[in-house]
Amino acid sequence: MFNSETYVQRQQELLKKVNSGIILIPGNEESPMNYTDNPYRFRQDSTFLYYFGLSRPGLIALLDTGNGRVSIYGNDYTVEDFVWMGKQPTIHELAALCGVEYTGSITDLYNRIGQANKRKEAIHFLPQYRSENILKLMDMTGLSAQEIKAGVSVEFIRAVVSQRNYKTAEEIVEIEKGVDTSVDMHVTAIKMVKPGMQELDVVVEIEKIARATGGDISFPTIATINGQTLHNHYHGNIIKEGQLFLLDCGAEIPTGYAGDLSSTFPVGQTFSSLQKDIYTLVLKSHNACVDALKPGITFKEVHRAACLTIAGGLKSMGLMKGDTESAVEAGAHALFFPCGTGHMMGLDIHDMENLGEEFVGYEGEPKSTQFGLKSLRLGRALEPGFVLTIEPGIYFIPELTDQWRSQNKFTEYLNYDEIDKFRNFGGIRNEENYLITPDGKRLLGNKKKPMLIEEVEALRK
Ligand code: GLY
């Protein structure tokens, strides 16, 4: 946790940004795996963590814009609970850690909400992603699930985004711890992969590194010889000589901040010549994005730089044809790059995705509906303090190629006969995390993940 002053300052700023009524921030509950007493690892809600830093199930915060009072509600554990859990701090003791003076039980909270309902005070809440919290809000407010969904407070969403999008120096320190641990995970994997291993052998080894920080992985690990599948969570394949191995994984450190990195490396000691060609092109597009990063540029433009580089390179290799700018405008390159170049990162690897990408990444503007571009999570103008990922890639997805070919899609831009030769190639992506600074950008992490061909191959020897 940070010092209490950090949380008080965040709470006070939020109170200034929301005009009237009460603000409710439900923390998360335990999430059972197969019966109530057998839960998954507890993960606090990131917005609750941001304003209060407390990682304990069953808490709900209420900020009253009328009198500026901030309260945390929850039921204290009893001695019977201590028998199983050991002695636990009271909610009042926990609240003091984040500068909150007022605490109460869940019954007290229901009474306060009842009062708000009677007085017709506005009740602000965010979009909810856990059913327990939807049920709680339904119970407290008397609204239906549909009304809860429709009744989220855009004013509150915008307020949270306007705070959490700008990372402070103390947050950057935490994010860099997450990034450094993520680098350790990648270097370990690059060194250890051998033909004959199962993908799972790699996963088990690298996830230990994240757990050893006292935190955990920041999202389900992607460690695969089928890198063409963007979010491949299957780890059952045997790794074979000559293949490419794509790793996309990261660590979340105990304060909740995350790293999110990707690497692609050969299963053998060196890349094949064809693998080198595509890898070099992915690197070129990566560097084009990094070069473009600065305050004021929109991330849509950064993404466009990636797409143009990829399309131009594939044209010179004979896989694409026609005018490169028109091909990208039409979305033909999305056959190879059907996703976005990056996303915001912080307490979530897709930071605040639960609040809506249109608010976090598009300042309230609607996203494109074009295949490929619709998966770009971030499009807005960049500002100092933003933390984001850069991760363009090239993927050969046989099912997508076959579908587009059967539809004669973009035949003016795509050489399907040439593309077919890459059916078993897989996919390549590299990923780094950047901070936007007043005069440009800074690569995050005190450790550097190898990315140049010679750096990667040196680790494979
Ligand atoms: N690196 C995983 C993701 O961006 O979803």
Side-chain angles (χ1 to χ4, degrees):
M1 258 183 103
F2 299 121
N3 285 334
S4 60
E5 292 78 35
T6 293
Y7 300 103
V8 170
Q9 184 265 325
R10 290 173 177 178
Q11 296 155 15
Q12 291 305 312
E13 203 178 320
L14 177 61
L15 276 166
K16 277 194 221 129
K17 285 173 185 269
V18 176
N19 269 323
S20 63
I22 58 173
I23 301 165
L24 279 183
I25 307 181
N28 280 339
E29 294 288 348
E30 294 280 18
S31 201
M33 279 192 270
N34 49 348
Y35 53 91
T36 309
D37 279 351
N38 203 20
Y40 292 103
R41 176 182 82 99
F42 176 71
R43 176 52 159 84
Q44 184 57 285
D45 172 72
S46 294
T47 298
F48 192 94
L49 267 187
Y50 180 80
Y51 290 105
F52 305 101
L54 302 174
S55 201
R56 182 230 199 249
L59 303 176
I60 304 187
L62 187 152
L63 295 86
D64 187 332
T65 65
N67 57 15
R69 180 181 285 192
V70 181
S71 315
I72 293 181
Y73 294 91
N75 292 333
D76 278 323
Y77 291 119
T78 64
V79 172
E80 279 206 27
D81 296 313
F82 295 170
V83 170
W84 297 94
M85 309 167 74
K87 190 164 185 315
Q88 300 293 317
T90 64
I91 289 168
H92 200 69
E93 286 163 345
L94 288 174
L97 301 176
C98 55
V100 172
E101 195 180 329
Y102 300 97
T103 55
S105 66
I106 295 296
T107 307
D108 296 331
L109 174 64
Y110 272 67
N111 291 338
R112 176 66 187 88
I113 303 286
Q115 203 180 48
N117 276 333
K118 251 192 229 140
R119 294 184 193 152
K120 301 213 178 319
E121 288 175 271
I123 302 177
H124 298 272
F125 50 85
L126 298 170
Q128 300 298 313
Y129 55 93
R130 289 217 181 171
S131 43
E132 309 88 79
N133 281 342
I134 296 173
L135 288 171
K136 249 187 258 172
L137 283 176
M138 288 168 69
D139 210 24
M140 281 188 283
T141 60
L143 298 173
S144 70
Q146 285 310 320
E147 286 167 331
I148 294 287
K149 203 169 167 192
V152 297
S153 166
V154 171
E155 185 184 7
F156 182 18
I157 293 172
R158 286 186 190 277
V160 173
V161 169
S162 74
Q163 292 185 256
R164 285 183 57 190
N165 260 351
Y166 302 88
K167 273 60 180 184
T168 59
E170 62 184 349
E171 289 183 287
I172 297 299
V173 169
E174 295 303 299
I175 291 172
E176 291 202 282
K177 289 181 199 163
V179 174
D180 284 341
T181 307
S182 307
V183 171
D184 290 342
M185 295 165 80
H186 280 258
V187 170
T188 299
I190 297 172
K191 285 182 176 168
M192 78 170 276
V193 165
K194 297 261 178 315
M197 282 180 173
Q198 208 184 353
E199 293 160 331
L200 187 61
D201 298 329
V202 184
V203 175
V204 168
E205 212 48 43
I206 61 178
E207 291 193 352
K208 275 202 294 209
I209 298 170
R211 289 287 302 277
T213 64
D216 209 328
I217 52 173
S218 49
F219 58 96
T221 297
I222 299 162
T224 180
I225 51 170
N226 286 316
Q228 75 281 6
T229 305
L230 299 178
H231 282 179
N232 195 338
H233 297 136
Y234 178 72
H235 301 140
N237 292 304
I238 301 295
I239 303 167
K240 298 198 185 82
E241 181 77 36
Q243 291 175 320
L244 286 172
F245 193 94
L246 189 149
L247 177 67
D248 183 347
C249 70
E252 173 181 301
I253 56 152
T255 46
Y257 289 88
D260 175 6
L261 302 174
S262 302
S263 307
T264 309
F265 51 93
V267 172
Q269 290 195 348
T270 54
F271 290 96
S272 72
S273 140
L274 199 57
Q275 288 169 348
K276 254 188 200 160
D277 288 346
I278 302 290
Y279 190 94
T280 303
L281 181 53
V282 171
L283 213 51
K284 190 173 168 198
S285 103
H286 191 99
N287 292 337
C289 297
V290 173
D291 287 348
L293 288 179
K294 62 178 179 196
I297 191 167
T298 67
F299 202 72
K300 243 189 201 165
E301 290 171 80
V302 176
H303 177 67
R304 189 162 176 274
C307 298
L308 286 171
T309 310
I310 286 171
L314 292 176
K315 183 177 164 184
S316 56
M317 292 174 70
L319 281 76
M320 292 189 75
K321 58 186 172 182
D323 179 61
T324 300
E325 296 227 356
S326 313
V328 167
E329 189 66 28
H333 67 289
L335 178 64
F336 312 99
F337 183 26
C339 52
T341 290
H343 49 79
M344 295 288 220
M345 193 185 84
L347 281 165
D348 311 298
I349 62 142
H350 296 172
D351 212 22
M352 294 170 274
E353 192 170 290
N354 58 312
L355 304 188
E357 284 172 351
E358 68 274 31
F359 294 110
V360 180
Y362 287 83
E363 295 183 280
E365 296 298 318
K367 287 171 66 179
S368 169
T369 54
Q370 186 186 65
F371 181 75
L373 204 48
K374 73 177 176 190
S375 302
L376 180 64
R377 303 176 196 282
L378 172 61
R380 58 165 294 174
L382 302 182
E383 293 187 43
F386 285 12
V387 166
L388 47 85
T389 67
I390 291 292
E391 49 178 312
I394 296 181
Y395 309 94
F396 293 93
I397 307 165
E399 297 79 8
L400 188 63
T401 306
D402 291 346
Q403 187 197 55
W404 281 27
R405 187 171 199 166
S406 72
Q407 296 167 344
N408 288 322
K409 204 163 166 175
F410 296 129
T411 46
E412 66 277 41
Y413 300 121
L414 299 170
N415 277 327
Y416 283 108
D417 286 344
E418 287 306 308
I419 296 166
D420 248 353
K421 296 179 187 162
F422 286 76
R423 282 191 88 75
N424 300 315
F425 183 92
I428 295 182
R429 144 168 101 252
N430 287 305
E431 179 178 8
E432 293 179 317
N433 307 143
Y434 282 88
L435 166 70
I436 303 302
T437 60
D439 50 6
K441 71 269 166 179
R442 179 165 79 74
L443 176 66
L444 287 174
N446 299 301
K447 300 179 178 180
K448 168 104 176 67
K449 186 178 72 69
M451 207 158 65
L452 298 176
I453 287 181
E454 51 276 23
E455 290 172 341
V456 174
E457 288 185 345
L459 288 185
R460 297 291 305 147
K461 294 273 181 314

